[in-house]
Amino acid sequence: MAQRANIAAQTAFGEAVVTGNLDTLDEIVAPNSVDHDPAPGQVQGPEGYKVMFGELRAAFPDLHVEVEHLVATDDELAFAYVITGTHLGPLMGQPPTGKKVSYRGMQISRFDSNGKLVERWGSSDELGMLRQLGLAEI
C-alpha cells in the first residue's frame, strides 16, 4: 500500500511541475525535506522546489517530464525520465534562444510514513541541455 501512495505522491509532484501549480508541493513535500542535489541557493522543503521548478518553468513554459522507468519500495522510488521544452524565458541569466531541448535524468525519492517527500537525490543532463541551447561548448 505504501508503494501506491508514494507513486501517487510522486505523480502529483510531477503534475505540479508540469502544470505550474507549484503550491500543490506544500501538500506533497515535508517542511524539512532535503534535496541532496539542490540547485544553487535552493532551500529545504517545498519552498525550495517551488523556486527551482518555477525558474525552470519560466525558462521552459511548455516543460514536460515523461517518466520512462519506475522502481518502488515501501519508502523509496527511483525513476528515469526525459525532460522536454522550448527555451522561451531567461535561463541562468541567458536570454531565450527559442530552441527545443530534450534531456534525460534519474531521481530517487524517499517518503515518510505519511507519504510526504523527505529526501531527494537526482541528476539530469543539464550540460546536454545547455549544449542543445548553444549555451555551452562541446
Side-chain angles (χ1 to χ4, degrees), residues 37-51:
D37 300 297
Q42 181 181 342
V43 300
Q44 288 185 338
E47 194 57 38
Y49 292 109
K50 286 188 215 179
V51 171

Side-chain angles (χ1 to χ4, degrees), residues 5 8 25 34 40 62 68 93 112 122:
L25 298 178
V34 175
D62 62 345
E68 292 190 324
D112 66 14

Side-chain angles (χ1 to χ4, degrees), residues 97-118:
T97 63
K99 295 180 179 179
K100 293 186 180 297
V101 296
S102 178
Y103 60 103
R104 303 177 64 75
M106 297 185 76
Q107 180 173 313
I108 300 170
S109 301
R110 188 173 71 79
F111 296 85
D112 66 14
S113 60
N114 297 317
K116 296 255 187 174
L117 179 70
V118 292

Side-chain angles (χ1 to χ4, degrees), residues 32-84:
N32 59 347
S33 178
V34 175
D35 189 338
H36 293 283
D37 300 297
Q42 181 181 342
V43 300
Q44 288 185 338
E47 194 57 38
Y49 292 109
K50 286 188 215 179
V51 171
M52 176 181 66
F53 286 113
E55 290 174 358
L56 190 60
R57 284 197 45 74
F60 300 95
D62 62 345
L63 180 78
H64 182 73
V65 180
E66 182 72 32
V67 174
E68 292 190 324
H69 188 74
L70 174 82
V71 178
T73 68
D74 283 342
D75 65 345
E76 292 180 323
L77 296 176
F79 58 98
Y81 57 87
V82 175
I83 295 175
T84 57

